[in-house]
Amino acid sequence: MGSTFLTLLIFSWLLSPAGSECSDPLFLQYQARIGERIEVEPRLDGWKDFLRTYPDNPCADRVREILRELESSRGYHVQAGETRAWEQRARGGVVEPGRNTFPAFTVLPDPVPRNRVRLSSELIWPADPAAHRMEIGDPLLTQVLRVDAAPTSFLGLSLDLPLAAGAWGEEDFGYAFGNITLGVRGIWGDFLKGDRWPFVLSGGMWWGTGSSTWSPRSTKRILNAAAFSSPCFFHLFRDHQSDYTVHAEGQLGLGRHVFGAALAYHVLSQQEPTRFRNPPDPVMQMFRFDLAWQMQVFGWLFPAFELNGGVGFPGSSETTHLFLAPGVRFHTSHFSATAGVRIPFLDVADFSRVAVSLELGGQL
């Protein structure tokens, strides 16, 4: 009988938690005191204080095991996230670079501070009779290499390098570089959870260099065809055109949904006459807006929809354009890809029938 009792005692001792091995009075005293604390952070502070004060205690290894369990618990991560959010708000609410709360849209300017490169490509099918008048074949290819940099959490810099390629006449094919565009903007955002929704705002200026003058005269019609067929990027492709733009944009998260909006006011300076406008207007103006929505289906899949419009791209102050752009976005922590179709309405439908877009991006 005695041997059976001893066997059961040894067996229960082997199955007991590791903490029962620690019978040190100081450990038991701290354990009772810390056990009264409900939140994770105060319990972590209590056990860390124990290790600082009694690093050679016989129960130090058990305390380190408890700390690892607390730090890996869900409660710790939730509370740590809330702490970081409040610290962010205390610094003025600026958004930290590298956050992936808001995947970027195709046309809508990205207000989040990131170090990233993106290549936006479009195949545009020009509409008759404009294509015949400009002597442009279809399809027309445009590409914009976008580089975004965030030297600080509240400052964003951007660089756009555009290119257009296509055919004119019956056999000729060529390409032309558009207007290099530089931008600077200020950023403000809030990632607090609970009773607040995450949102981010930014605003600043773009300057288009008018560097399309470097392209050969024989390929100028390709740039102008791209500009009039895709007014969202008019300032990037318009031949002999310098651009000065003020803009503001923002995004708001509501659960699995993200909504975006942007406004831009362009003042474009024509440098010399072209075959499409002679004599040129010395100053032209254009007002653009972008509205966007996307929904997170999985952690990496986002169906999206954009509405891109504007008034007054050169040719007539009353000229209007509108694009409906459904698409789908694949987004990870370091890479993104977006595929979509842009369908033209209003006056721009006289210049283009449809555009298919693809954007590839990577975090730097």
Side-chain angles (χ1 to χ4, degrees), residues 17-20 22 27-28 30-32 34-35 40 42-48 50-51 59-73 76:
S20 61
C22 296
F27 172 82
L28 295 176
Y30 266 77
Q31 188 179 46
I34 295 173
V40 175
R43 294 167 68 184
L44 281 167
D45 292 340
W47 286 120
K48 289 178 181 178
F50 178 91
L51 285 179
C59 294
D61 290 339
R62 172 56 184 161
V63 173
R64 294 186 183 94
E65 182 181 342
I66 293 173
L67 284 172
R68 286 194 295 270
E69 293 172 354
L70 289 173
E71 289 175 348
S72 63
S73 67
Y76 170 76

mmCIF file of all heavy atoms in Angstrom, residues 17-20 22 27-28 30-32 34-35 40 42-48 50-51 59-73 76:
data_model
loop_
_atom_site.group_PDB
_atom_site.id
_atom_site.type_symbol
_atom_site.label_atom_id
_atom_site.label_comp_id
_atom_site.label_asym_id
_atom_site.label_seq_id
_atom_site.Cartn_x
_atom_site.Cartn_y
_atom_site.Cartn_z
ATOM 1 N N PRO A 17 2.748 21.409 -12.834
ATOM 2 C CA PRO A 17 3.359 22.525 -13.552
ATOM 3 C C PRO A 17 4.741 22.836 -13.016
ATOM 4 O O PRO A 17 5.043 22.617 -11.837
ATOM 5 C CB PRO A 17 2.376 23.684 -13.331
ATOM 6 C CG PRO A 17 1.093 23.028 -12.951
ATOM 7 C CD PRO A 17 1.447 21.779 -12.243
ATOM 8 N N ALA A 18 5.558 23.395 -13.914
ATOM 9 C CA ALA A 18 6.931 23.715 -13.510
ATOM 10 C C ALA A 18 6.966 24.702 -12.378
ATOM 11 O O ALA A 18 7.873 24.714 -11.563
ATOM 12 C CB ALA A 18 7.712 24.254 -14.714
ATOM 13 N N GLY A 19 5.942 25.560 -12.292
ATOM 14 C CA GLY A 19 5.936 26.574 -11.259
ATOM 15 C C GLY A 19 5.857 25.993 -9.856
ATOM 16 O O GLY A 19 6.278 26.612 -8.896
ATOM 17 N N SER A 20 5.294 24.787 -9.706
ATOM 18 C CA SER A 20 5.178 24.205 -8.370
ATOM 19 C C SER A 20 6.531 23.798 -7.819
ATOM 20 O O SER A 20 6.672 23.527 -6.633
ATOM 21 C CB SER A 20 4.240 22.996 -8.409
ATOM 22 O OG SER A 20 4.768 22.003 -9.272
ATOM 23 N N CYS A 22 9.031 25.753 -7.718
ATOM 24 C CA CYS A 22 9.600 26.940 -7.088
ATOM 25 C C CYS A 22 8.892 27.217 -5.768
ATOM 26 O O CYS A 22 7.741 27.659 -5.753
ATOM 27 C CB CYS A 22 9.475 28.134 -8.019
ATOM 28 S SG CYS A 22 10.416 27.948 -9.553
ATOM 29 N N PHE A 27 9.796 34.299 -4.447
ATOM 30 C CA PHE A 27 9.024 33.992 -5.651
ATOM 31 C C PHE A 27 7.535 33.873 -5.330
ATOM 32 O O PHE A 27 6.685 34.425 -6.040
ATOM 33 C CB PHE A 27 9.536 32.690 -6.266
ATOM 34 C CG PHE A 27 8.683 32.189 -7.402
ATOM 35 C CD1 PHE A 27 8.830 32.696 -8.690
ATOM 36 C CD2 PHE A 27 7.721 31.210 -7.186
ATOM 37 C CE1 PHE A 27 8.038 32.241 -9.733
ATOM 38 C CE2 PHE A 27 6.932 30.750 -8.227
ATOM 39 C CZ PHE A 27 7.093 31.260 -9.504
ATOM 40 N N LEU A 28 7.222 33.156 -4.266
ATOM 41 C CA LEU A 28 5.813 32.980 -3.901
ATOM 42 C C LEU A 28 5.166 34.311 -3.525
ATOM 43 O O LEU A 28 3.989 34.549 -3.828
ATOM 44 C CB LEU A 28 5.710 31.987 -2.734
ATOM 45 C CG LEU A 28 6.159 30.552 -3.038
ATOM 46 C CD1 LEU A 28 6.102 29.700 -1.785
ATOM 47 C CD2 LEU A 28 5.311 29.951 -4.151
ATOM 48 N N TYR A 30 6.018 37.358 -4.725
ATOM 49 C CA TYR A 30 5.770 38.081 -5.973
ATOM 50 C C TYR A 30 4.615 37.458 -6.757
ATOM 51 O O TYR A 30 3.796 38.151 -7.355
ATOM 52 C CB TYR A 30 7.041 38.083 -6.836
ATOM 53 C CG TYR A 30 7.914 39.300 -6.644
ATOM 54 C CD1 TYR A 30 8.726 39.433 -5.525
ATOM 55 C CD2 TYR A 30 7.925 40.330 -7.578
ATOM 56 C CE1 TYR A 30 9.532 40.547 -5.349
ATOM 57 C CE2 TYR A 30 8.728 41.448 -7.413
ATOM 58 C CZ TYR A 30 9.526 41.553 -6.295
ATOM 59 O OH TYR A 30 10.321 42.656 -6.116
ATOM 60 N N GLN A 31 4.573 36.127 -6.760
ATOM 61 C CA GLN A 31 3.525 35.436 -7.505
ATOM 62 C C GLN A 31 2.143 35.790 -6.972
ATOM 63 O O GLN A 31 1.206 36.020 -7.745
ATOM 64 C CB GLN A 31 3.753 33.928 -7.417
ATOM 65 C CG GLN A 31 2.833 33.115 -8.321
ATOM 66 C CD GLN A 31 3.126 31.640 -8.218
ATOM 67 O OE1 GLN A 31 3.271 31.088 -7.118
ATOM 68 N NE2 GLN A 31 3.237 30.980 -9.374
ATOM 69 N N ALA A 32 2.013 35.872 -5.661
ATOM 70 C CA ALA A 32 0.717 36.222 -5.073
ATOM 71 C C ALA A 32 0.355 37.680 -5.373
ATOM 72 O O ALA A 32 -0.802 37.994 -5.677
ATOM 73 C CB ALA A 32 0.767 35.987 -3.565
ATOM 74 N N ILE A 34 1.547 39.617 -7.936
ATOM 75 C CA ILE A 34 1.321 39.840 -9.366
ATOM 76 C C ILE A 34 0.036 39.172 -9.820
ATOM 77 O O ILE A 34 -0.633 39.643 -10.756
ATOM 78 C CB ILE A 34 2.536 39.334 -10.170
ATOM 79 C CG1 ILE A 34 3.772 40.169 -9.829
ATOM 80 C CG2 ILE A 34 2.265 39.382 -11.677
ATOM 81 C CD1 ILE A 34 5.057 39.657 -10.434
ATOM 82 N N GLY A 35 -0.350 38.078 -9.182
ATOM 83 C CA GLY A 35 -1.578 37.392 -9.556
ATOM 84 C C GLY A 35 -2.823 38.241 -9.393
ATOM 85 O O GLY A 35 -3.869 37.946 -9.984
ATOM 86 N N VAL A 40 -2.076 42.630 -18.742
ATOM 87 C CA VAL A 40 -0.826 41.952 -19.058
ATOM 88 C C VAL A 40 0.384 42.821 -18.754
ATOM 89 O O VAL A 40 1.377 42.349 -18.183
ATOM 90 C CB VAL A 40 -0.821 41.538 -20.545
ATOM 91 C CG1 VAL A 40 0.527 40.938 -20.932
ATOM 92 C CG2 VAL A 40 -1.934 40.537 -20.806
ATOM 93 N N PRO A 42 1.077 45.315 -16.539
ATOM 94 C CA PRO A 42 1.548 45.367 -15.145
ATOM 95 C C PRO A 42 2.160 44.053 -14.668
ATOM 96 O O PRO A 42 3.099 44.052 -13.865
ATOM 97 C CB PRO A 42 0.279 45.711 -14.360
ATOM 98 C CG PRO A 42 -0.619 46.383 -15.344
ATOM 99 C CD PRO A 42 -0.339 45.708 -16.644
ATOM 100 N N ARG A 43 1.647 42.930 -15.179
ATOM 101 C CA ARG A 43 2.228 41.647 -14.782
ATOM 102 C C ARG A 43 3.627 41.492 -15.359
ATOM 103 O O ARG A 43 4.547 40.980 -14.685
ATOM 104 C CB ARG A 43 1.313 40.523 -15.253
ATOM 105 C CG ARG A 43 -0.041 40.518 -14.543
ATOM 106 C CD ARG A 43 -1.033 39.618 -15.230
ATOM 107 N NE ARG A 43 -0.662 38.226 -15.113
ATOM 108 C CZ ARG A 43 -1.317 37.219 -15.700
ATOM 109 N NH1 ARG A 43 -2.359 37.501 -16.487
ATOM 110 N NH2 ARG A 43 -0.937 35.985 -15.532
ATOM 111 N N LEU A 44 3.801 41.930 -16.598
ATOM 112 C CA LEU A 44 5.146 41.911 -17.179
ATOM 113 C C LEU A 44 6.108 42.776 -16.383
ATOM 114 O O LEU A 44 7.248 42.378 -16.098
ATOM 115 C CB LEU A 44 5.080 42.391 -18.626
ATOM 116 C CG LEU A 44 4.609 41.384 -19.680
ATOM 117 C CD1 LEU A 44 4.308 42.110 -20.981
ATOM 118 C CD2 LEU A 44 5.666 40.318 -19.915
ATOM 119 N N ASP A 45 5.654 43.978 -16.021
ATOM 120 C CA ASP A 45 6.514 44.876 -15.242
ATOM 121 C C ASP A 45 6.891 44.254 -13.906
ATOM 122 O O ASP A 45 8.030 44.390 -13.442
ATOM 123 C CB ASP A 45 5.786 46.204 -15.020
ATOM 124 C CG ASP A 45 5.618 46.987 -16.312
ATOM 125 O OD1 ASP A 45 6.358 46.712 -17.279
ATOM 126 O OD2 ASP A 45 4.727 47.865 -16.351
ATOM 127 N N GLY A 46 5.949 43.552 -13.278
ATOM 128 C CA GLY A 46 6.218 42.937 -11.986
ATOM 129 C C GLY A 46 7.284 41.863 -12.059
ATOM 130 O O GLY A 46 8.225 41.830 -11.240
ATOM 131 N N TRP A 47 7.173 40.965 -13.051
ATOM 132 C CA TRP A 47 8.165 39.894 -13.168
ATOM 133 C C TRP A 47 9.509 40.421 -13.650
ATOM 134 O O TRP A 47 10.571 39.899 -13.271
ATOM 135 C CB TRP A 47 7.647 38.819 -14.112
ATOM 136 C CG TRP A 47 6.548 37.959 -13.513
ATOM 137 C CD1 TRP A 47 5.295 37.816 -13.962
ATOM 138 C CD2 TRP A 47 6.667 37.154 -12.335
ATOM 139 N NE1 TRP A 47 4.586 36.960 -13.142
ATOM 140 C CE2 TRP A 47 5.423 36.533 -12.129
ATOM 141 C CE3 TRP A 47 7.688 36.892 -11.428
ATOM 142 C CZ2 TRP A 47 5.164 35.679 -11.080
ATOM 143 C CZ3 TRP A 47 7.436 36.030 -10.366
ATOM 144 C CH2 TRP A 47 6.194 35.432 -10.188
ATOM 145 N N LYS A 48 9.524 41.460 -14.491
ATOM 146 C CA LYS A 48 10.797 42.056 -14.900
ATOM 147 C C LYS A 48 11.493 42.702 -13.707
ATOM 148 O O LYS A 48 12.725 42.642 -13.577
ATOM 149 C CB LYS A 48 10.555 43.090 -16.001
ATOM 150 C CG LYS A 48 10.169 42.473 -17.343
ATOM 151 C CD LYS A 48 9.883 43.543 -18.393
ATOM 152 C CE LYS A 48 9.475 42.926 -19.717
ATOM 153 N NZ LYS A 48 9.149 43.951 -20.742
ATOM 154 N N PHE A 50 11.228 41.634 -10.683
ATOM 155 C CA PHE A 50 11.748 40.517 -9.891
ATOM 156 C C PHE A 50 13.135 40.097 -10.398
ATOM 157 O O PHE A 50 14.067 39.890 -9.595
ATOM 158 C CB PHE A 50 10.763 39.345 -9.958
ATOM 159 C CG PHE A 50 11.220 38.128 -9.206
ATOM 160 C CD1 PHE A 50 10.886 37.943 -7.884
ATOM 161 C CD2 PHE A 50 12.005 37.157 -9.834
ATOM 162 C CE1 PHE A 50 11.308 36.820 -7.181
ATOM 163 C CE2 PHE A 50 12.437 36.027 -9.142
ATOM 164 C CZ PHE A 50 12.095 35.859 -7.814
ATOM 165 N N LEU A 51 13.257 39.983 -11.761
ATOM 166 C CA LEU A 51 14.545 39.560 -12.315
ATOM 167 C C LEU A 51 15.631 40.600 -12.108
ATOM 168 O O LEU A 51 16.801 40.257 -11.887
ATOM 169 C CB LEU A 51 14.394 39.269 -13.805
ATOM 170 C CG LEU A 51 13.678 37.969 -14.187
ATOM 171 C CD1 LEU A 51 13.595 37.834 -15.694
ATOM 172 C CD2 LEU A 51 14.387 36.758 -13.576
ATOM 173 N N CYS A 59 14.400 30.593 -8.641
ATOM 174 C CA CYS A 59 13.224 30.520 -9.513
ATOM 175 C C CYS A 59 13.330 31.456 -10.708
ATOM 176 O O CYS A 59 12.323 31.716 -11.385
ATOM 177 C CB CYS A 59 11.958 30.867 -8.709
ATOM 178 S SG CYS A 59 11.565 29.667 -7.420
ATOM 179 N N ALA A 60 14.560 31.969 -10.985
ATOM 180 C CA ALA A 60 14.722 32.932 -12.082
ATOM 181 C C ALA A 60 14.348 32.314 -13.427
ATOM 182 O O ALA A 60 13.738 32.970 -14.285
ATOM 183 C CB ALA A 60 16.163 33.454 -12.107
ATOM 184 N N ASP A 61 14.706 31.051 -13.655
ATOM 185 C CA ASP A 61 14.364 30.410 -14.926
ATOM 186 C C ASP A 61 12.855 30.297 -15.101
ATOM 187 O O ASP A 61 12.326 30.466 -16.210
ATOM 188 C CB ASP A 61 15.004 29.028 -15.009
ATOM 189 C CG ASP A 61 16.514 29.101 -15.169
ATOM 190 O OD1 ASP A 61 17.003 30.173 -15.611
ATOM 191 O OD2 ASP A 61 17.199 28.111 -14.850
ATOM 192 N N ARG A 62 12.158 29.996 -14.019
ATOM 193 C CA ARG A 62 10.693 29.903 -14.097
ATOM 194 C C ARG A 62 10.085 31.276 -14.411
ATOM 195 O O ARG A 62 9.134 31.391 -15.194
ATOM 196 C CB ARG A 62 10.142 29.374 -12.777
ATOM 197 C CG ARG A 62 8.634 29.392 -12.640
ATOM 198 C CD ARG A 62 7.971 28.640 -13.773
ATOM 199 N NE ARG A 62 6.520 28.726 -13.693
ATOM 200 C CZ ARG A 62 5.702 28.498 -14.706
ATOM 201 N NH1 ARG A 62 6.209 28.176 -15.905
ATOM 202 N NH2 ARG A 62 4.396 28.593 -14.555
ATOM 203 N N VAL A 63 10.672 32.343 -13.863
ATOM 204 C CA VAL A 63 10.180 33.695 -14.136
ATOM 205 C C VAL A 63 10.382 34.046 -15.611
ATOM 206 O O VAL A 63 9.508 34.640 -16.246
ATOM 207 C CB VAL A 63 10.888 34.711 -13.225
ATOM 208 C CG1 VAL A 63 10.511 36.138 -13.607
ATOM 209 C CG2 VAL A 63 10.531 34.452 -11.759
ATOM 210 N N ARG A 64 11.543 33.672 -16.168
ATOM 211 C CA ARG A 64 11.772 33.940 -17.589
ATOM 212 C C ARG A 64 10.770 33.187 -18.465
ATOM 213 O O ARG A 64 10.306 33.694 -19.495
ATOM 214 C CB ARG A 64 13.200 33.540 -17.963
ATOM 215 C CG ARG A 64 14.269 34.393 -17.291
ATOM 216 C CD ARG A 64 15.655 34.065 -17.803
ATOM 217 N NE ARG A 64 16.665 34.841 -17.112
ATOM 218 C CZ ARG A 64 17.333 34.410 -16.030
ATOM 219 N NH1 ARG A 64 17.094 33.192 -15.547
ATOM 220 N NH2 ARG A 64 18.220 35.190 -15.447
ATOM 221 N N GLU A 65 10.398 31.987 -18.062
ATOM 222 C CA GLU A 65 9.387 31.226 -18.799
ATOM 223 C C GLU A 65 8.032 31.918 -18.728
ATOM 224 O O GLU A 65 7.307 32.002 -19.729
ATOM 225 C CB GLU A 65 9.294 29.817 -18.213
ATOM 226 C CG GLU A 65 8.301 28.928 -18.948
ATOM 227 C CD GLU A 65 8.219 27.542 -18.322
ATOM 228 O OE1 GLU A 65 9.137 27.160 -17.566
ATOM 229 O OE2 GLU A 65 7.221 26.844 -18.599
ATOM 230 N N ILE A 66 7.704 32.458 -17.558
ATOM 231 C CA ILE A 66 6.435 33.192 -17.418
ATOM 232 C C ILE A 66 6.429 34.433 -18.304
ATOM 233 O O ILE A 66 5.430 34.758 -18.943
ATOM 234 C CB ILE A 66 6.215 33.571 -15.935
ATOM 235 C CG1 ILE A 66 5.991 32.315 -15.086
ATOM 236 C CG2 ILE A 66 5.023 34.519 -15.793
ATOM 237 C CD1 ILE A 66 5.933 32.592 -13.597
ATOM 238 N N LEU A 67 7.575 35.137 -18.363
ATOM 239 C CA LEU A 67 7.659 36.333 -19.209
ATOM 240 C C LEU A 67 7.450 35.982 -20.674
ATOM 241 O O LEU A 67 6.761 36.700 -21.403
ATOM 242 C CB LEU A 67 9.016 37.011 -19.015
ATOM 243 C CG LEU A 67 9.197 37.809 -17.720
ATOM 244 C CD1 LEU A 67 10.634 38.263 -17.575
ATOM 245 C CD2 LEU A 67 8.260 39.010 -17.700
ATOM 246 N N ARG A 68 8.048 34.880 -21.129
ATOM 247 C CA ARG A 68 7.862 34.480 -22.523
ATOM 248 C C ARG A 68 6.397 34.161 -22.820
ATOM 249 O O ARG A 68 5.878 34.503 -23.887
ATOM 250 C CB ARG A 68 8.743 33.270 -22.837
ATOM 251 C CG ARG A 68 10.225 33.603 -22.982
ATOM 252 C CD ARG A 68 10.978 32.457 -23.610
ATOM 253 N NE ARG A 68 10.980 31.266 -22.750
ATOM 254 C CZ ARG A 68 11.905 31.005 -21.835
ATOM 255 N NH1 ARG A 68 12.923 31.842 -21.644
ATOM 256 N NH2 ARG A 68 11.839 29.905 -21.109
ATOM 257 N N GLU A 69 5.729 33.521 -21.878
ATOM 258 C CA GLU A 69 4.313 33.197 -22.071
ATOM 259 C C GLU A 69 3.460 34.459 -22.143
ATOM 260 O O GLU A 69 2.549 34.571 -22.966
ATOM 261 C CB GLU A 69 3.828 32.294 -20.931
ATOM 262 C CG GLU A 69 4.458 30.903 -20.941
ATOM 263 C CD GLU A 69 4.098 30.103 -19.702
ATOM 264 O OE1 GLU A 69 3.447 30.690 -18.797
ATOM 265 O OE2 GLU A 69 4.469 28.921 -19.624
ATOM 266 N N LEU A 70 3.765 35.439 -21.280
ATOM 267 C CA LEU A 70 2.997 36.676 -21.286
ATOM 268 C C LEU A 70 3.227 37.482 -22.557
ATOM 269 O O LEU A 70 2.293 38.041 -23.143
ATOM 270 C CB LEU A 70 3.360 37.526 -20.059
ATOM 271 C CG LEU A 70 2.866 37.013 -18.698
ATOM 272 C CD1 LEU A 70 3.450 37.849 -17.570
ATOM 273 C CD2 LEU A 70 1.348 37.031 -18.638
ATOM 274 N N GLU A 71 4.490 37.547 -23.005
ATOM 275 C CA GLU A 71 4.805 38.331 -24.196
ATOM 276 C C GLU A 71 4.212 37.728 -25.470
ATOM 277 O O GLU A 71 3.941 38.448 -26.431
ATOM 278 C CB GLU A 71 6.316 38.464 -24.336
ATOM 279 C CG GLU A 71 6.926 39.387 -23.289
ATOM 280 C CD GLU A 71 8.434 39.413 -23.355
ATOM 281 O OE1 GLU A 71 9.016 38.553 -24.042
ATOM 282 O OE2 GLU A 71 9.028 40.303 -22.713
ATOM 283 N N SER A 72 4.029 36.426 -25.482
ATOM 284 C CA SER A 72 3.432 35.791 -26.662
ATOM 285 C C SER A 72 1.917 35.727 -26.594
ATOM 286 O O SER A 72 1.272 35.312 -27.556
ATOM 287 C CB SER A 72 3.981 34.360 -26.816
ATOM 288 O OG SER A 72 3.619 33.559 -25.697
ATOM 289 N N SER A 73 1.340 36.162 -25.513
ATOM 290 C CA SER A 73 -0.107 36.096 -25.376
ATOM 291 C C SER A 73 -0.775 37.178 -26.222
ATOM 292 O O SER A 73 -0.193 38.217 -26.526
ATOM 293 C CB SER A 73 -0.526 36.247 -23.912
ATOM 294 O OG SER A 73 -0.232 37.546 -23.454
ATOM 295 N N TYR A 76 -1.107 40.732 -24.690
ATOM 296 C CA TYR A 76 0.075 41.583 -24.709
ATOM 297 C C TYR A 76 0.169 42.321 -26.047
ATOM 298 O O TYR A 76 0.443 43.519 -26.078
ATOM 299 C CB TYR A 76 1.327 40.746 -24.477
ATOM 300 C CG TYR A 76 2.606 41.509 -24.716
ATOM 301 C CD1 TYR A 76 3.069 42.430 -23.786
ATOM 302 C CD2 TYR A 76 3.324 41.317 -25.883
ATOM 303 C CE1 TYR A 76 4.237 43.140 -24.012
ATOM 304 C CE2 TYR A 76 4.495 42.020 -26.118
ATOM 305 C CZ TYR A 76 4.944 42.931 -25.176
ATOM 306 O OH TYR A 76 6.092 43.631 -25.410
#
